[in-house]
Amino acid sequence: MKQHTQRAALRQLTLCLLGTATVSTLSIGAAFAQSTDASQPIQTVQVTGLRASLESALNAKRQDNGIVDVIKSEDMGKFPDTNLAESLQRVPGVVIDRDAGEGRNITVRGLGQDFTRVRINGIEGLATTGGTDSSGGTNRGRGFDFNVFASELFSSLTVRKSSSADVDEGSLGATVDLQTLRPFDLKGFNATIAAKAKYNDGSEKVDPRVAFMLSNTFMDRTLGVLISGAFSKRRVLEDGFSTVRWDNGPSSGGWCAPQGVTANPSNSTATTCGPAAQGVPRLPASAAATEAYNLASNPANFHPRLPRYGRLTHDQDRLGLTASVQWRPQRGTLLTFDMLYSKLDATRQEDFLEAISFSRSATQGGKPQISVVEAQYAPNGALLYGKYNGVDIRSESRFDELTTTFTQPTLTLEHKFNDSWSMSAKVGRANSKFRNPVQTTVTLDALNVNGYTLDFRQDARSAIIGYPFDPMAANGPLGIIGVPQVTSGTQPTTVANTTTSEIRIRPQGATNVNDVAQFDLAWEATDNLTFKGGVNKKKYESDTYEFRRVNQNDTIFAPPSGSAGLTTTLTGFGQGNVSGWLIPNLSAIAAAYDIYCNCIKAGPAGGPGDFTLSSITNGNARGNNRTVTERDDGFYLMGEFKYDLWNIPVRGNFGARYVKTELEAIGYQAAGGGTAVKVNHEYKDTLPSFNIAANLTRDFIVRFGAAKVMTRPQLGFLSPGGTIATTGTLTITTGNPLLKPFRAKTFDSSFEYYFGKNAFVGLGLFQKNIDTYIQSLRTNVPFRETGLPLSLLPSNFNGEEVFQVTAPINTDGGKLKGFELNYQQPFTFLPGWGKNFGTLLNYTKVSSKIEYAVSPTSNERIVDDLLNLSPKSWNATVYYDDGKFSARVSGAKRSSFITRVPGQNNNDVEGKNETFNVDVSISYKWNDKLEFTLEGVNLTNEPNDQFISRARNSVVVNNVTGREFLAGLRYKF
């Protein structure tokens, strides 16, 4: 009975202490809760503002029974950041990745988005959207896209870093709980409206951001209703330089050899690069030409594959709505219905001025038609300066329409049978539907341009590109180059040794549905010991699709009525020496060619005039057509305890969770033009956990936790779809639905000292022994062991044939370990107005070494970090709060990290360089109802800086999206 009184008292105290939104940096667990005599009245003090929020956060840190971090908002519109992911980056050990300058995904303690589960109102969900190719493109995995939701819709975020038996399985990194506001969180009638105007100094656009909340309780607070909504518009220009990747001298067939040197390509004539019909001249013989050719052909020297300037125009509307109804029919019974709706509508136009032939082969008129006039390289092999003849220049425009619709109804019943027994039941469905109905790319091209230059000598992150013509000229060399239409014979789909203009059409989408039902029962055996148990059933289904043109070369005929009116210009760019360039007019081209007819407009099927779309039968689209269904049945038993051990208060929990996963994966093999393959797989996990916290003194707490954890394999790896070659070398390229999950043993400890009033310093230590890892590798196995049906084989095969299989496989893992330092202190010791200052600081260091296979035909290994792991990160906030005026400046630093091992095109790794983001927030409370706010986001205008190669750190992407400034007000009725 005392425990229930204590819990009620703590809840009441917590409600009284809640203030302005803040990050509660709860790193490693919570303190032992002191007992409260039920006969003593609880004295509360109404405190508001940033300082009160920090006090509430620190109080929650000492009380929580798990290893968690919390971000809270006392009321609608008071979240500390405009984006959920950007709020999470304030938490120790959490770093974020951005798309178009806005936080999209998180990494926790070095473990990326696929290792983090997200629950909304207690129900696991997965929200996905589409991004730029350089930021991951369409999300077809388990990673959660936080930019789908408006931050105003949520009252708290909880990052659960520790594992306990009552927390669902599926995370090696963390479980993130998102909670929307409910009517019983407030008292009586509440109405709030917030409005902001946002200005981006890159796009020079002003966009609105508005939110509202309305709630009330009725019938002596036994019935409550709440609705809230938020709408924002975001228009951003993303400008910069990119290369896609880098490759070495001999790649793609090498360069065109000057006269007097052995011909390359081999079909060159004495004076032309390749066939004489192409008319691309070789450089005249000279010592300088030979020297430049030999230097550029050195395998140790690298050049960009697709050097380009780019502008991406993002236009995004985000709408979110919540509704919550709570009913307390009797004391001890609470029924809650929550509904969440979010819709993210966006368009994105990507315009690039690029040189495409550095990455193309001779059959496409690529690199073997390029002559190296001059070349300079750094000692590490990176191109410093190059001048080239025979370069194909392209103006490429891509337009996307993107929509994500997320809905989640949740019904929760909580009931207390008596002083000892209680239960809760929850059912819900999280449905995320991403659609990309328009993804269309059109191009203008100029072939074999002489005098093209690339200069990295002034800035290694953004080359100065020299074009020997005016890129903005409407009547210049850039235009539509079509495939000639023949009147007799076979219509070709391409032009030999040439890359012609293209129209690509690639509609696609992904749907993720989580159905969850859970029942929990608790028995308070004594005041010091409580037993809990529960069962849950989950069904998760992920379905993705993609269509592409039947003409898989994406080529076109010449414009039906000529090129007039099919181009426009991009202006105001301002990178290097280019202020703009000629671009395709997509709407005019779409009308002229009728590209969305899904039909043959001219010529034969599969030819340049065929705009028919296909999916499963299309070799280029087939791999993105797949379905994964998981059914998870689990139960857990757990004990919670609190005792005095040798006069030291200790508390914690112990227990185990058992779960059985049944998987059904459907993909499509190339046999028969697209043969459906279904594979079933089942695995079971028993996951014990233990957590303990000891108050060695009133203000010094030591904690320890240990658990076995698991994360299910990435969705893209589970498809049995792919290709099979049953002639020549027997090969299979496929996913692997028989993968075991990632499994690990985790150990956590922390040392926390609470000194002074609301001051804290803590050290957290953690280690994860990853027992199973997943890497794509090529192996030789009998067909029977692949899990694929024998029906895919010719009749004379029996399944014992050994195939060379390229697929993801389970490999040995490795150790991940690190520490977190956390410091929080108000400067109340300072005199005068100095006492209103304070600071929050945290620093995280993580290390992990994994062996990555470099080649399936060698034993060579690369030992490097886990993907997405930043070895170092820190956050620093300095604030001022006097109850009426408050201000905060925050900085977030993330060290560089790798995204692919081994790297593509003869490189060891690919990754992203370090980032440092600075935000500022100022508010002034006019009175109890009206508050004014001013915010600055991304004040450093931090670039999206991606690299390839550890040694060279060659630029892949270097784009900026501008600073954002928000001014607004919040009014509470």
Side-chain angles (χ1 to χ4, degrees):
M1 186 66 182
K2 287 182 180 180
Q3 188 178 21
H4 295 299
T5 305
Q6 171 193 349
R7 290 173 178 169
L10 289 174
R11 284 196 297 270
Q12 185 173 353
L13 179 60
T14 302
L15 288 172
C16 292
L17 290 175
L18 284 177
T20 308
T22 185
V23 176
S24 167
T25 51
L26 313 183
S27 57
I28 311 292
F32 182 77
Q34 303 298 319
S35 63
T36 302
D37 190 340
S39 64
Q40 297 178 350
I42 303 246
Q43 297 183 2
T44 64
V45 179
Q46 185 66 33
V47 191
T48 61
L50 177 59
R51 188 181 295 274
S53 301
L54 299 176
E55 180 180 344
S56 172
L58 203 59
N59 195 37
K61 179 179 185 63
R62 302 184 74 162
Q63 294 170 2
D64 197 280
N65 203 34
I67 303 173
V68 300
D69 296 288
V70 178
I71 308 169
K72 285 185 176 292
S73 173
E74 66 160 332
D75 208 342
M76 189 280 304
K78 281 200 168 185
F79 234 77
D81 295 278
T82 59
N83 176 276
L84 295 178
E86 288 159 10
S87 290
L88 286 167
Q89 74 175 331
R90 316 290 178 205
V91 170
V94 178
V95 292
I96 69 173
D97 209 3
R98 290 176 169 84
D99 180 45
E102 185 178 44
R104 182 180 181 185
N105 310 117
I106 69 171
T107 293
V108 182
R109 291 179 167 179
L111 291 161
Q113 58 184 19
D114 284 319
F115 299 98
T116 299
R117 295 173 53 258
V118 177
R119 301 188 299 188
I120 305 176
N121 296 330
I123 295 295
E124 183 175 357
L126 179 58
T128 61
T129 188
T132 59
D133 287 345
S134 63
S135 64
T138 297
N139 184 351
R140 301 180 187 276
R142 297 185 190 271
F144 191 93
D145 289 336
F146 287 90
N147 57 342
V148 170
F149 300 102
S151 61
E152 291 90 341
L153 301 178
F154 297 91
S155 61
S156 70
L157 307 184
T158 301
V159 181
R160 302 186 183 278
K161 297 177 179 176
S162 65
S163 294
S164 57
D166 60 340
V167 176
D168 295 355
E169 79 292 334
S171 167
L172 259 64
T175 295
V176 177
D177 280 317
L178 311 181
Q179 182 63 55
T180 58
L181 200 63
R182 289 169 168 171
F184 285 175
D185 296 337
L186 308 169
K187 291 184 178 181
F189 174 78
N190 290 269
T192 306
I193 188 168
K196 298 178 182 179
K198 180 176 63 178
Y199 173 77
N200 182 285
D201 69 356
S203 64
E204 299 183 344
K205 301 287 188 181
V206 177
D207 295 320
R209 188 180 183 102
V210 295
F212 77 93
M213 186 273 296
L214 184 67
S215 74
N216 204 355
T217 56
F218 311 91
M219 302 167 56
D220 195 24
R221 199 171 166 79
T222 60
L223 179 66
V225 178
L226 181 146
I227 59 172
S228 70
F231 172 81
S232 64
K233 189 173 185 67
R234 187 170 188 260
R235 290 176 290 177
V236 174
L237 295 182
E238 182 177 352
D239 285 357
F241 171 79
S242 60
T243 64
V244 180
R245 289 185 298 277
W246 289 55
D247 212 340
N248 65 4
S251 67
S252 301
W255 309 96
C256 175
Q259 297 179 32
V261 178
T262 302
N264 185 64
S266 59
N267 59 352
S268 299
T269 69
T271 58
T272 63
C273 301
Q278 303 301 312
V280 182
R282 297 171 65 179
L283 289 179
S286 71
T290 300
E291 181 182 0
Y293 172 75
N294 289 336
L295 186 63
S297 300
N298 187 334
N301 288 335
F302 284 73
H303 61 84
R305 284 173 56 84
L306 206 69
R308 60 190 186 178
Y309 291 133
R311 165 170 288 174
L312 289 75
T313 304
H314 303 267
D315 192 338
Q316 171 185 290
D317 292 342
R318 180 166 48 210
L319 173 66
L321 298 170
T322 76
S324 181
V325 179
Q326 290 186 290
W327 180 41
R328 188 178 287 113
Q330 63 183 28
R331 186 174 182 179
T333 302
L334 178 62
L335 185 66
T336 302
F337 174 76
D338 296 302
M339 182 67 192
L340 173 63
Y341 170 88
S342 185
K343 188 171 186 180
L344 182 67
D345 280 324
T347 62
R348 182 179 65 245
Q349 180 161 326
E350 304 179 20
D351 293 298
F352 297 105
L353 181 62
E354 58 200 16
I356 63 169
S357 47
F358 288 97
S359 64
R360 306 220 165 186
S361 63
T363 58
Q364 298 169 299
K367 186 173 173 181
Q369 288 188 2
I370 298 178
S371 295
V372 184
V373 181
E374 298 178 41
Q376 298 178 27
Y377 291 87
N380 62 13
L383 178 71
L384 293 176
Y385 175 80
K387 183 175 182 179
Y388 309 92
N389 287 349
V391 179
D392 296 341
I393 308 298
R394 167 168 284 183
S395 175
E396 175 180 318
S397 292
R398 168 176 157 179
F399 182 76
D400 284 77
E401 293 180 2
L402 311 109
T403 299
T404 297
T405 303
F406 184 93
T407 58
Q408 181 183 302
T410 308
L411 185 64
T412 305
L413 173 64
E414 300 169 84
H415 179 68
K416 187 174 178 62
F417 297 102
N418 52 44
D419 289 343
S420 299
W421 289 89
S422 61
M423 59 79 68
S424 68
K426 188 186 298 288
V427 293
R429 162 176 280 199
N431 189 326
S432 175
K433 181 184 293 185
F434 167 70
R435 294 294 180 265
N436 190 180
V438 176
Q439 185 189 113
T440 303
T441 303
V442 292
T443 71
L444 306 176
D445 292 270
L447 302 180
N448 303 316
V449 172
N450 294 333
Y452 174 87
T453 60
L454 274 173
D455 191 348
F456 288 95
R457 292 173 296 186
Q458 297 183 36
D459 186 353
R461 313 314 295 170
S462 182
I464 296 175
I465 305 177
Y467 297 93
F469 60 88
D470 180 4
M472 296 185 70
N475 297 315
L478 285 170
I480 296 178
I481 300 175
V483 176
Q485 190 167 4
V486 300
T487 57
S488 62
T490 301
Q491 171 64 56
T493 58
T494 60
V495 177
N497 304 298
T498 303
T499 295
T500 59
S501 299
E502 301 172 8
I503 295 179
R504 306 175 203 148
I505 308 172
R506 299 177 180 179
Q508 54 191 285
T511 300
N512 293 276
V513 179
N514 281 276
D515 290 311
V516 179
Q518 182 162 328
F519 178 83
D520 299 275
L521 191 64
W523 173 45
E524 186 175 329
T526 69
D527 286 347
N528 297 320
L529 183 62
T530 299
F531 292 101
K532 293 182 177 181
V535 296
N536 69 319
K537 294 183 69 69
K538 294 184 290 185
K539 179 184 176 183
Y540 169 60
E541 185 170 5
S542 174
D543 181 79
T544 76
Y545 70 88
E546 180 178 8
F547 287 82
R548 295 195 183 190
R549 288 180 63 187
V550 170
N551 172 9
Q552 297 186 46
N553 293 298
D554 295 317
T555 53
I556 56 176
F557 289 128
S561 303
S563 298
L566 300 184
T567 63
T568 184
T569 54
L570 180 150
T571 59
F573 180 70
Q575 291 263 342
N577 57 356
V578 173
S579 61
W581 60 89
L582 196 71
I583 64 174
N585 186 329
L586 174 58
S587 59
I589 291 175
Y593 284 88
D594 194 15
I595 65 175
Y596 299 121
C597 70
N598 194 22
C599 67
I600 300 174
K601 295 299 294 185
D610 191 348
F611 294 96
T612 306
L613 302 181
S614 60
S615 58
I616 295 168
T617 59
N618 191 309
N620 289 331
R622 183 182 300 120
N624 283 329
N625 290 271
R626 58 179 185 262
T627 299
V628 173
T629 302
E630 290 175 344
R631 292 176 173 84
D632 310 323
D633 296 325
F635 69 88
Y636 75 92
L637 292 173
M638 186 178 77
E640 291 183 334
F641 60 89
K642 58 174 184 175
Y643 289 99
D644 282 353
L645 186 62
W646 301 300
N647 294 321
I648 298 175
V650 297
R651 69 168 178 164
N653 58 60
F654 59 92
R657 170 175 286 271
Y658 171 85
V659 62
K660 180 178 72 174
T661 303
E662 295 178 323
L663 167 73
E664 178 184 276
I666 300 175
Y668 297 90
Q669 291 285 349
T675 300
V677 179
K678 181 171 69 175
V679 176
N680 294 294
H681 182 45
E682 177 183 306
Y683 49 89
K684 302 172 183 178
D685 287 273
T686 300
L687 307 171
S689 59
F690 172 73
N691 296 279
I692 188 171
N695 277 57
L696 299 186
T697 70
R698 182 175 181 274
D699 297 322
F700 184 60
I701 304 170
V702 176
R703 310 179 192 274
F704 176 77
K708 289 183 67 174
V709 296
M710 60 87 84
T711 290
R712 295 179 175 90
Q714 298 97 321
L715 294 176
F717 284 170
L718 293 176
S719 173
T723 58
I724 297 177
T726 56
T727 59
T729 302
L730 304 181
T731 62
I732 299 174
T733 302
T734 181
N736 183 359
L738 301 180
L739 286 171
K740 299 176 183 178
F742 297 89
R743 292 187 172 112
K745 301 179 184 71
T746 65
F747 304 93
D748 294 275
S749 62
S750 73
F751 306 87
E752 303 168 6
Y753 178 51
Y754 299 81
F755 62 98
K757 181 176 175 55
N758 302 322
F760 160 79
V761 63
L763 168 65
L765 307 175
F766 55 89
Q767 178 169 312
K768 299 177 188 292
N769 297 338
I770 302 174
D771 300 323
T772 57
Y773 194 68
I774 297 174
Q775 183 190 354
S776 184
L777 195 65
R778 191 163 68 195
T779 57
N780 295 316
V781 297
F783 187 88
R784 288 187 184 277
E785 297 180 14
T786 65
L788 301 174
L790 294 176
S791 59
L792 295 177
L793 298 178
S795 58
N796 60 327
F797 281 48
N798 61 15
E800 300 301 328
E801 296 80 11
V802 176
F803 277 70
Q804 184 176 279
V805 179
T806 301
I809 64 169
N810 288 111
T811 63
D812 293 336
K815 291 184 179 180
L816 181 152
K817 56 185 178 181
F819 67 87
E820 297 171 348
L821 289 172
N822 197 0
Y823 172 69
Q824 174 179 326
Q825 184 168 20
F827 298 156
T828 51
F829 54 85
L830 294 177
W833 52 267
K835 65 184 179 182
N836 297 319
F837 283 95
T839 189
L840 296 92
L841 307 171
N842 65 70
Y843 174 84
T844 303
K845 185 173 183 180
V846 188
S847 64
S848 177
K849 299 302 179 183
I850 298 293
E851 287 191 357
Y852 297 92
V854 175
S855 168
T857 58
S858 76
N859 294 324
E860 184 182 357
R861 296 291 186 270
I862 292 176
V863 179
D864 217 315
D865 294 329
L866 279 169
L867 302 186
N868 301 301
L869 182 150
S870 288
K872 300 177 183 178
S873 63
W874 58 261
N875 283 270
T877 296
V878 176
Y879 66 87
Y880 176 90
D881 181 27
D882 61 15
K884 195 174 186 67
F885 175 81
S886 68
R888 151 179 87 87
V889 178
S890 297
K893 178 70 173 287
R894 177 181 188 181
S895 63
S896 63
F897 59 98
I898 58 175
T899 57
R900 182 190 290 266
V901 178
Q904 302 172 87
N905 306 108
N906 302 298
N907 292 275
D908 55 351
V909 300
E910 300 173 33
K912 291 190 177 184
N913 281 314
E914 65 179 28
T915 58
F916 177 56
N917 289 81
V918 177
D919 303 322
V920 63
S921 176
I922 300 171
S923 67
Y924 178 74
K925 187 176 293 185
W926 184 263
N927 53 40
D928 289 342
K929 295 182 178 296
L930 180 61
E931 184 176 4
F932 296 97
T933 61
L934 179 64
E935 300 166 77
V937 179
N938 188 29
L939 296 184
T940 55
N941 195 20
E942 198 69 6
N944 173 18
D945 185 356
Q946 302 180 22
F947 72 90
I948 192 167
S949 168
R950 286 281 195 194
R952 301 190 318 274
N953 190 29
S954 296
V955 59
V956 173
V957 175
N958 188 36
N959 291 350
V960 295
T961 54
R963 303 167 182 85
E964 294 184 344
F965 303 92
L966 298 91
L969 57 85
R970 178 178 176 276
Y971 190 82
K972 188 168 185 178
F973 295 89

